[in-house]
Short mmCIF file of all heavy atoms in Angstrom, two decimals:
data_model
loop_
_atom_site.label_atom_id
_atom_site.label_comp_id
_atom_site.label_asym_id
_atom_site.label_seq_id
_atom_site.Cartn_x
_atom_site.Cartn_y
_atom_site.Cartn_z
N ARG A 11 -114.43 -3.83 225.67
CA ARG A 11 -115.06 -3.52 224.37
C ARG A 11 -114.93 -2.03 224.06
O ARG A 11 -114.68 -1.64 222.92
CB ARG A 11 -116.53 -3.95 224.38
CG ARG A 11 -116.72 -5.46 224.28
CD ARG A 11 -118.17 -5.77 223.90
NE ARG A 11 -119.10 -5.32 224.94
CZ ARG A 11 -119.50 -6.08 225.96
NH1 ARG A 11 -119.00 -7.32 226.09
NH2 ARG A 11 -120.35 -5.63 226.86
N ALA A 12 -115.13 -1.18 225.09
CA ALA A 12 -115.03 0.26 224.89
C ALA A 12 -113.61 0.65 224.45
O ALA A 12 -113.42 1.46 223.54
CB ALA A 12 -115.41 1.00 226.17
N ARG A 13 -112.63 0.04 225.12
CA ARG A 13 -111.25 0.32 224.74
C ARG A 13 -110.95 -0.16 223.32
O ARG A 13 -110.22 0.48 222.57
CB ARG A 13 -110.30 -0.34 225.73
CG ARG A 13 -110.27 0.33 227.11
CD ARG A 13 -109.37 -0.43 228.06
NE ARG A 13 -109.30 0.22 229.36
CZ ARG A 13 -108.70 -0.29 230.42
NH1 ARG A 13 -108.11 -1.48 230.33
NH2 ARG A 13 -108.68 0.38 231.57
N GLY A 14 -111.53 -1.31 222.99
CA GLY A 14 -111.34 -1.83 221.64
C GLY A 14 -111.92 -0.90 220.59
O GLY A 14 -111.31 -0.64 219.55
N ARG A 15 -113.13 -0.37 220.90
CA ARG A 15 -113.74 0.57 219.95
C ARG A 15 -112.92 1.84 219.83
O ARG A 15 -112.72 2.37 218.73
CB ARG A 15 -115.18 0.89 220.38
CG ARG A 15 -116.17 -0.23 220.15
CD ARG A 15 -117.59 0.29 220.27
NE ARG A 15 -117.88 0.77 221.63
CZ ARG A 15 -118.37 0.00 222.60
NH1 ARG A 15 -118.60 -1.29 222.36
NH2 ARG A 15 -118.63 0.50 223.79
N ALA A 16 -112.45 2.36 220.98
CA ALA A 16 -111.63 3.57 220.95
C ALA A 16 -110.34 3.35 220.17
O ALA A 16 -109.91 4.18 219.37
CB ALA A 16 -111.31 4.02 222.38
N GLY A 17 -109.73 2.17 220.42
CA GLY A 17 -108.51 1.86 219.69
C GLY A 17 -108.76 1.73 218.20
O GLY A 17 -107.97 2.20 217.38
N GLY A 18 -109.90 1.11 217.85
CA GLY A 18 -110.25 0.97 216.43
C GLY A 18 -110.48 2.31 215.78
O GLY A 18 -110.06 2.55 214.65
N THR A 19 -111.15 3.21 216.51
CA THR A 19 -111.40 4.56 215.97
C THR A 19 -110.09 5.30 215.76
O THR A 19 -109.87 5.96 214.74
CB THR A 19 -112.31 5.35 216.92
OG1 THR A 19 -113.54 4.65 217.08
CG2 THR A 19 -112.56 6.74 216.37
N GLY A 20 -109.19 5.19 216.78
CA GLY A 20 -107.90 5.86 216.65
C GLY A 20 -107.11 5.35 215.47
O GLY A 20 -106.50 6.12 214.72
N ARG A 21 -107.10 4.01 215.28
CA ARG A 21 -106.38 3.43 214.15
C ARG A 21 -107.01 3.86 212.83
O ARG A 21 -106.30 4.11 211.85
CB ARG A 21 -106.36 1.91 214.27
CG ARG A 21 -105.43 1.38 215.36
CD ARG A 21 -105.26 -0.13 215.25
NE ARG A 21 -106.51 -0.83 215.50
CZ ARG A 21 -106.93 -1.21 216.71
NH1 ARG A 21 -106.19 -0.94 217.78
NH2 ARG A 21 -108.07 -1.85 216.87
N ALA A 22 -108.34 3.97 212.81
CA ALA A 22 -109.03 4.40 211.59
C ALA A 22 -108.66 5.84 211.23
O ALA A 22 -108.38 6.16 210.07
CB ALA A 22 -110.54 4.28 211.76
N TRP A 23 -108.63 6.72 212.26
CA TRP A 23 -108.26 8.11 212.02
C TRP A 23 -106.80 8.19 211.54
O TRP A 23 -106.50 8.94 210.60
CB TRP A 23 -108.43 8.94 213.30
CG TRP A 23 -109.82 9.42 213.51
CD1 TRP A 23 -110.77 8.89 214.32
CD2 TRP A 23 -110.43 10.54 212.87
NE1 TRP A 23 -111.94 9.61 214.23
CE2 TRP A 23 -111.76 10.62 213.36
CE3 TRP A 23 -110.00 11.46 211.93
CZ2 TRP A 23 -112.66 11.60 212.94
CZ3 TRP A 23 -110.89 12.46 211.52
CH2 TRP A 23 -112.20 12.51 212.02
N ALA A 24 -105.91 7.44 212.20
CA ALA A 24 -104.51 7.47 211.80
C ALA A 24 -104.34 6.96 210.37
O ALA A 24 -103.59 7.52 209.56
CB ALA A 24 -103.68 6.63 212.76
N GLY A 25 -105.05 5.87 210.06
CA GLY A 25 -104.99 5.34 208.71
C GLY A 25 -105.52 6.31 207.68
O GLY A 25 -104.95 6.48 206.60
N GLY A 26 -106.64 6.97 208.01
CA GLY A 26 -107.22 7.95 207.10
C GLY A 26 -106.29 9.12 206.87
O GLY A 26 -106.13 9.60 205.74
N ALA A 27 -105.66 9.61 207.95
CA ALA A 27 -104.70 10.71 207.81
C ALA A 27 -103.51 10.30 206.96
O ALA A 27 -103.04 11.07 206.11
CB ALA A 27 -104.23 11.16 209.19
N GLY A 28 -103.05 9.07 207.15
CA GLY A 28 -101.92 8.59 206.35
C GLY A 28 -102.27 8.50 204.88
O GLY A 28 -101.46 8.88 204.02
N ARG A 29 -103.47 8.01 204.58
CA ARG A 29 -103.88 7.92 203.18
C ARG A 29 -104.04 9.31 202.56
O ARG A 29 -103.72 9.52 201.38
CB ARG A 29 -105.19 7.14 203.07
CG ARG A 29 -105.03 5.64 203.28
CD ARG A 29 -106.31 4.91 202.94
NE ARG A 29 -107.38 5.24 203.86
CZ ARG A 29 -107.63 4.59 204.98
NH1 ARG A 29 -106.87 3.56 205.34
NH2 ARG A 29 -108.64 4.93 205.76
N ALA A 30 -104.55 10.27 203.35
CA ALA A 30 -104.71 11.64 202.83
C ALA A 30 -103.36 12.25 202.49
O ALA A 30 -103.19 12.87 201.44
CB ALA A 30 -105.44 12.50 203.87
N VAL A 31 -102.38 12.05 203.38
CA VAL A 31 -101.04 12.58 203.11
C VAL A 31 -100.42 11.87 201.89
O VAL A 31 -99.83 12.52 201.03
CB VAL A 31 -100.13 12.41 204.35
CG1 VAL A 31 -98.69 12.76 204.01
CG2 VAL A 31 -100.63 13.27 205.50
N ALA A 32 -100.59 10.56 201.82
CA ALA A 32 -100.04 9.82 200.69
C ALA A 32 -100.65 10.26 199.37
O ALA A 32 -99.98 10.24 198.33
CB ALA A 32 -100.28 8.32 200.91
N SER A 33 -101.90 10.70 199.39
CA SER A 33 -102.58 11.12 198.15
C SER A 33 -101.93 12.36 197.54
O SER A 33 -102.08 12.61 196.35
CB SER A 33 -104.06 11.38 198.42
OG SER A 33 -104.24 12.55 199.21
N LEU A 34 -101.21 13.13 198.37
CA LEU A 34 -100.52 14.31 197.83
C LEU A 34 -99.43 13.92 196.84
O LEU A 34 -99.04 14.71 195.98
CB LEU A 34 -99.91 15.13 198.97
CG LEU A 34 -100.89 15.86 199.89
CD1 LEU A 34 -100.17 16.45 201.08
CD2 LEU A 34 -101.62 16.96 199.12
N GLY A 35 -98.94 12.71 196.95
CA GLY A 35 -97.89 12.25 196.05
C GLY A 35 -98.40 11.33 194.95
O GLY A 35 -97.60 10.66 194.30
N THR A 36 -99.71 11.32 194.75
CA THR A 36 -100.31 10.41 193.77
C THR A 36 -101.07 11.17 192.70
O THR A 36 -101.90 12.03 193.01
CB THR A 36 -101.27 9.43 194.47
OG1 THR A 36 -100.58 8.74 195.51
CG2 THR A 36 -101.83 8.42 193.47
N MET A 37 -100.79 10.87 191.45
CA MET A 37 -101.55 11.41 190.32
C MET A 37 -102.63 10.40 189.94
O MET A 37 -102.32 9.23 189.69
CB MET A 37 -100.65 11.68 189.12
CG MET A 37 -99.61 12.77 189.34
SD MET A 37 -100.33 14.43 189.46
CE MET A 37 -100.78 14.72 187.75
N GLN A 38 -103.87 10.85 189.91
CA GLN A 38 -104.97 9.96 189.56
C GLN A 38 -105.04 9.75 188.05
O GLN A 38 -104.75 10.68 187.27
CB GLN A 38 -106.30 10.54 190.06
CG GLN A 38 -106.36 10.76 191.55
CD GLN A 38 -106.30 9.47 192.33
OE1 GLN A 38 -106.86 8.45 191.91
NE2 GLN A 38 -105.62 9.49 193.46
N ARG A 39 -105.42 8.58 187.65
CA ARG A 39 -105.63 8.32 186.23
C ARG A 39 -106.96 8.91 185.79
O ARG A 39 -107.93 8.94 186.54
CB ARG A 39 -105.62 6.82 185.95
CG ARG A 39 -104.28 6.15 186.20
CD ARG A 39 -104.31 4.71 185.75
NE ARG A 39 -104.57 4.61 184.31
CZ ARG A 39 -104.68 3.46 183.65
NH1 ARG A 39 -104.58 2.31 184.32
NH2 ARG A 39 -104.91 3.44 182.36
N TYR A 40 -106.98 9.42 184.58
CA TYR A 40 -108.23 9.98 184.04
C TYR A 40 -108.44 9.43 182.64
O TYR A 40 -107.59 9.61 181.76
CB TYR A 40 -108.19 11.50 184.01
CG TYR A 40 -109.44 12.12 183.44
CD1 TYR A 40 -110.61 12.16 184.19
CD2 TYR A 40 -109.46 12.64 182.15
CE1 TYR A 40 -111.77 12.71 183.67
CE2 TYR A 40 -110.62 13.20 181.62
CZ TYR A 40 -111.77 13.22 182.38
OH TYR A 40 -112.92 13.77 181.87
N GLU A 41 -109.53 8.75 182.46
CA GLU A 41 -109.85 8.18 181.15
C GLU A 41 -110.75 9.15 180.39
O GLU A 41 -111.81 9.53 180.87
CB GLU A 41 -110.58 6.83 181.32
CG GLU A 41 -109.79 5.79 182.13
CD GLU A 41 -108.54 5.34 181.41
OE1 GLU A 41 -108.47 5.47 180.17
OE2 GLU A 41 -107.62 4.86 182.11
N GLY A 42 -110.30 9.55 179.25
CA GLY A 42 -111.12 10.46 178.46
C GLY A 42 -110.33 11.68 178.02
O GLY A 42 -109.14 11.84 178.33
N ARG A 43 -111.00 12.54 177.26
CA ARG A 43 -110.39 13.75 176.73
C ARG A 43 -110.83 14.94 177.59
O ARG A 43 -111.97 15.40 177.50
CB ARG A 43 -110.80 13.95 175.27
CG ARG A 43 -110.33 12.82 174.36
CD ARG A 43 -111.10 12.78 173.05
NE ARG A 43 -110.76 13.90 172.18
CZ ARG A 43 -111.61 14.84 171.80
NH1 ARG A 43 -112.87 14.81 172.26
NH2 ARG A 43 -111.25 15.80 171.00
N ARG A 44 -109.92 15.43 178.40
CA ARG A 44 -110.24 16.57 179.27
C ARG A 44 -109.98 17.90 178.58
O ARG A 44 -110.60 18.90 178.91
CB ARG A 44 -109.42 16.47 180.56
CG ARG A 44 -109.69 17.58 181.58
CD ARG A 44 -111.06 17.48 182.17
NE ARG A 44 -111.30 18.55 183.14
CZ ARG A 44 -112.44 18.72 183.80
NH1 ARG A 44 -113.45 17.88 183.60
NH2 ARG A 44 -112.58 19.71 184.64
N TRP A 45 -109.07 17.92 177.62
CA TRP A 45 -108.65 19.21 177.07
C TRP A 45 -109.75 20.01 176.40
O TRP A 45 -109.70 21.26 176.44
CB TRP A 45 -107.46 19.01 176.11
CG TRP A 45 -107.79 18.33 174.80
CD1 TRP A 45 -107.65 17.02 174.49
CD2 TRP A 45 -108.30 18.96 173.62
NE1 TRP A 45 -108.04 16.78 173.20
CE2 TRP A 45 -108.44 17.95 172.64
CE3 TRP A 45 -108.65 20.26 173.29
CZ2 TRP A 45 -108.93 18.22 171.37
CZ3 TRP A 45 -109.14 20.54 172.02
CH2 TRP A 45 -109.27 19.52 171.07
N PRO A 46 -110.79 19.40 175.76
CA PRO A 46 -111.82 20.27 175.17
C PRO A 46 -112.54 21.14 176.21
O PRO A 46 -112.75 22.33 175.99
CB PRO A 46 -112.79 19.26 174.52
CG PRO A 46 -111.95 18.06 174.23
CD PRO A 46 -111.01 17.98 175.38
N VAL A 47 -112.90 20.56 177.36
CA VAL A 47 -113.56 21.33 178.41
C VAL A 47 -112.59 22.37 178.98
O VAL A 47 -112.96 23.52 179.23
CB VAL A 47 -114.07 20.41 179.53
CG1 VAL A 47 -114.55 21.21 180.73
CG2 VAL A 47 -115.19 19.52 179.01
N ALA A 48 -111.32 21.97 179.18
CA ALA A 48 -110.32 22.91 179.70
C ALA A 48 -110.12 24.09 178.75
O ALA A 48 -110.00 25.24 179.19
CB ALA A 48 -109.00 22.18 179.94
N LEU A 49 -110.09 23.81 177.45
CA LEU A 49 -109.91 24.88 176.47
C LEU A 49 -111.12 25.81 176.44
O LEU A 49 -110.97 27.04 176.36
CB LEU A 49 -109.66 24.27 175.09
CG LEU A 49 -109.41 25.27 173.95
CD1 LEU A 49 -108.17 26.11 174.26
CD2 LEU A 49 -109.25 24.53 172.62
N GLN A 50 -112.31 25.23 176.49
CA GLN A 50 -113.51 26.06 176.53
C GLN A 50 -113.51 26.97 177.76
O GLN A 50 -113.83 28.16 177.67
CB GLN A 50 -114.76 25.17 176.55
CG GLN A 50 -115.02 24.43 175.26
CD GLN A 50 -116.13 23.41 175.39
OE1 GLN A 50 -116.85 23.38 176.37
NE2 GLN A 50 -116.26 22.54 174.38
N ALA A 51 -113.14 26.42 178.91
CA ALA A 51 -113.09 27.22 180.14
C ALA A 51 -112.07 28.34 180.02
O ALA A 51 -112.30 29.46 180.50
CB ALA A 51 -112.77 26.32 181.33
N ALA A 52 -110.93 28.05 179.38
CA ALA A 52 -109.88 29.06 179.23
C ALA A 52 -110.34 30.20 178.33
O ALA A 52 -110.13 31.38 178.63
CB ALA A 52 -108.62 28.41 178.67
N VAL A 53 -110.97 29.86 177.21
CA VAL A 53 -111.47 30.88 176.29
C VAL A 53 -112.55 31.72 176.96
O VAL A 53 -112.57 32.96 176.86
CB VAL A 53 -112.01 30.23 175.00
CG1 VAL A 53 -112.73 31.26 174.13
CG2 VAL A 53 -110.88 29.58 174.22
N ALA A 54 -113.46 31.06 177.66
CA ALA A 54 -114.55 31.77 178.34
C ALA A 54 -114.03 32.67 179.45
O ALA A 54 -114.68 33.66 179.80
CB ALA A 54 -115.55 30.76 178.91
#
């Protein structure tokens, strides 16, 4: 059981690292108008 837990933890860490690296190549969708806030921040 201990080995199983350790193996599960290792696989979880490896999977998490893989997803983090993969996220560098992914653009998230954003619903809504972001430009008004961006423009206000730029002017300010």
